[in-house]
Amino acid sequence: MMLRTKITAVVAAAAALAMSLAALMSYRGVSNLVGDELERGLADRTSTVVTLLAAGLTPPARPDMIEQVVSAQGAVRPLAPGREALPVSSDALRVARTGKGESRVDVVVSETEYGTLTRPLPGGGAVMVGQSYEGAMRLDNQALWQIAWTTAGAIGFAALVGWLVLGRILRPVRRLAVATRRITTTQDLATPLPTAGSDEIGQLTRSFAHMLAALRRSRAQQQQLVQDASHELRTPLTSVRGSAELLQRARGRLAPEDEEQILTTLVTETAALDDLVRELVELATDRHTEEEPEAVDLAVAAEDSAQRLRLRTGRTVLVIEDDTNPPVPVRARPRALQRCIDNLLSNAVKFSPEGTPIAMYIGGGRLAVRDQGPGIAPAERHAVFDRFYRGPRTQATPGSGLGLAIVHDLVTADAGTVFATTADGGGAEVGFTLPPYGQDESNRPTIRRRYRKAL
């Protein structure tokens, strides 16, 4: 209501200013028009009186005028008996004496203002005609009051129309404000928003609706992540707790080989917990969001990740570049891209038998990692990027089930796409495609295919 009142006040003030200016201009126009008519009427009456007197006739008297003859000596003779004489100015006397020119002055007679015009007579002397301003002033006052009342009425009408129109215009805004206040109070993101129209307020409503949809998706993903994480954490925690309780109850009575097995289980499950927690933190916080996308050499990033894996595991990693479609700089966040490649290589290591090579194929903005594992069934090609997903053939393989989910989130955040399929000859091929960093195709350097092996 306050917004409506404020806008109405602003509209009324603007209307008042505009109409006041228009009224002032109208009043000045009317005043000028009345003044011009008075001047023309006075000049015409004076000419008529001069003509009639020259012909020996006496002009008929007019109630709003005083007419008199002024001699060269300054003597005054009224043309209508009983009328007061007009005072003769020095300029009017000059016209009567010389018989040349004319004199236009304003005088006051009996508290009434007259406009006078003096012109010479053909036989000597002059005619002096005075016209009262009473009628003109009365007309001027009437016009002023009429314009003032009309302006005031127009301003009031504009304020009323503005109040009604603004109420209609702001009704969707009030509805949107009520809905957003309810959402803020109840934290219920399912609260419906008012129907969006095609105007700017409708666009604002649709923007709020998109924002709410994004918040609902984010909340659902967070809840799902918490549920999945609690489920995944429960298994290694149960194993760790069981092993610890067994050691506590045994208190040194276990055989050395049994104790060694339990300790190995503790170390293995603790390492799995550490990996899972780290992956969860990475997935939930996305520490690479503060990075700005830039041009990244995909081949260099791939070689860096391959070299780290060689040093860490001693595995053979091949980096193969396509001669027909050489790698191009891609638009990505450098650390996020490096994490994606590291995750793809770690995933390939899990499913490749010991001693078999892992190959990375790079062409354009596409990178694919191929392993020597069981491959990926067609029904699982999208599911492998879901959080905590484990296919039927990979249930026994250790891992958090979050590596490829992180790849999916990081790549799609940089406007890329992910893919997973079974490679020709067996094994899985998992990778991504990122948009090039606007490099002209004709300026790409020629890069030969390289085969990198473990050192």
Side-chain angles (χ1 to χ4, degrees):
M1 185 62 69
M2 290 298 296
L3 178 61
R4 182 182 181 184
T5 303
K6 290 179 181 179
I7 296 179
T8 302
V10 171
V11 171
L17 179 60
M19 291 181 182
S20 298
L21 291 175
L24 178 61
M25 298 302 295
S26 299
Y27 172 70
R28 293 189 62 180
V30 171
S31 296
N32 292 335
L33 180 62
V34 172
D36 292 342
E37 287 297 324
L38 283 174
E39 292 297 326
R40 280 194 295 268
L42 180 60
D44 292 343
R45 180 62 179 178
T46 304
S47 298
T48 300
V49 172
V50 170
T51 301
L52 290 175
L53 290 177
L57 301 175
T58 300
R62 288 182 52 175
D64 61 334
M65 289 189 173
I66 298 177
E67 300 159 344
Q68 62 188 22
V69 176
V70 181
S71 67
Q73 291 75 28
V76 175
R77 178 173 62 88
L79 296 181
R83 294 291 183 90
E84 294 188 50
L86 296 169
V88 180
S89 65
S90 59
D91 198 29
L93 184 59
R94 177 188 57 78
V95 174
R97 288 176 178 175
T98 62
K100 296 179 181 179
E102 63 180 26
S103 172
R104 171 68 176 88
V105 296
D106 291 337
V107 298
V108 177
V109 177
S110 300
E111 299 182 355
T112 300
E113 189 174 6
Y114 285 82
T116 66
L117 179 61
T118 304
R119 285 182 179 176
L121 284 171
V127 170
M128 190 174 184
V129 178
Q131 183 170 3
S132 172
Y133 285 153
E134 282 187 345
M137 293 177 65
R138 187 167 51 253
L139 178 63
D140 186 77
N141 290 333
Q142 290 176 353
L144 177 61
W145 281 107
Q146 185 173 3
I147 290 174
W149 283 112
T150 302
T151 302
I155 292 173
F157 179 75
L160 176 61
V161 172
W163 176 268
L164 297 176
V165 172
L166 283 172
R168 183 178 181 86
I169 292 175
L170 295 177
R171 190 176 300 124
V173 177
R174 290 197 299 272
R175 292 173 180 170
L176 182 60
V178 170
T180 54
R181 193 180 305 115
R182 186 182 303 116
I183 293 171
T184 303
T185 303
T186 64
Q187 299 295 311
D188 182 11
L189 300 181
T191 301
L193 295 179
T195 304
S198 57
D199 54 4
E200 289 80 0
I201 298 176
Q203 296 175 5
L204 177 63
T205 303
R206 283 190 290 273
S207 298
F208 270 100
H210 294 326
M211 181 184 67
L212 278 179
L215 288 174
R216 283 193 293 269
R217 288 194 299 271
S218 177
R219 176 178 288 183
Q221 290 172 356
Q222 290 175 0
Q223 292 174 347
Q224 186 64 41
L225 177 61
V226 171
Q227 294 172 2
D228 293 342
S230 63
H231 174 74
E232 294 296 324
L233 286 169
R234 191 174 293 114
T235 300
L237 282 174
T238 300
S239 178
V240 169
R241 181 176 180 178
S243 299
E245 289 177 348
L246 180 58
L247 286 176
Q248 185 182 37
R249 288 195 302 270
R251 294 187 181 277
R253 295 192 300 271
L254 290 176
E257 59 273 14
D258 294 333
E259 186 174 343
E260 180 66 24
Q261 183 178 359
I262 293 174
L263 291 174
T264 301
T265 301
L266 283 172
V267 172
T268 303
E269 295 299 337
T270 303
L273 274 174
D274 181 68
D275 290 340
L276 181 57
V277 171
R278 178 172 48 82
E279 297 285 5
L280 282 172
V281 172
E282 186 77 25
L283 189 63
T285 60
D286 188 5
R287 293 175 298 168
H288 306 294
T289 52
E290 68 273 11
E291 286 189 279
E292 290 295 331
E294 60 183 68
V296 181
D297 191 323
L298 190 58
V300 172
E303 182 60 41
D304 290 343
S305 293
Q307 184 65 18
R308 283 196 298 273
L309 186 66
R310 295 183 191 119
L311 295 174
R312 189 173 68 251
T313 65
R315 300 293 294 265
T316 299
V317 184
L318 306 177
V319 180
I320 304 173
E321 299 177 8
D322 189 351
D323 285 337
T324 61
N325 185 25
V328 298
V330 294
R331 185 179 184 277
R333 295 168 293 167
R335 287 186 293 161
L337 176 61
Q338 208 72 64
R339 180 62 191 274
C340 290
I341 301 175
D342 290 345
N343 283 9
L344 291 176
L345 290 175
S346 298
N347 185 74
V349 169
K350 293 177 187 177
F351 299 105
S352 294
E354 191 68 31
T356 59
I358 297 169
M360 272 195 295
Y361 295 87
I362 310 171
R366 184 178 187 273
L367 183 145
V369 177
R370 185 177 299 179
D371 60 37
Q372 303 296 323
I376 299 175
E380 299 178 319
R381 291 177 181 176
H382 295 290
V384 293
F385 294 102
D386 294 340
R387 297 171 182 177
F388 305 108
Y389 178 78
R390 298 289 185 87
R393 292 178 289 181
T394 60
Q395 293 290 339
T397 304
S400 65
L402 292 174
L404 294 185
I406 293 175
V407 172
H408 173 272
D409 290 354
L410 294 179
V411 169
T412 53
D414 286 334
T417 57
V418 293
F419 59 86
T421 185
T422 298
D424 296 336
E429 184 173 288
V430 186
F432 57 81
T433 302
L434 287 169
Y437 194 83
Q439 184 175 358
D440 187 2
E441 295 284 334
S442 61
N443 294 331
R444 290 180 182 173
T446 301
I447 305 177
R448 296 182 179 180
R449 180 177 300 176
R450 299 180 296 178
Y451 295 89
R452 307 275 185 179
K453 294 187 178 180
L455 300 176

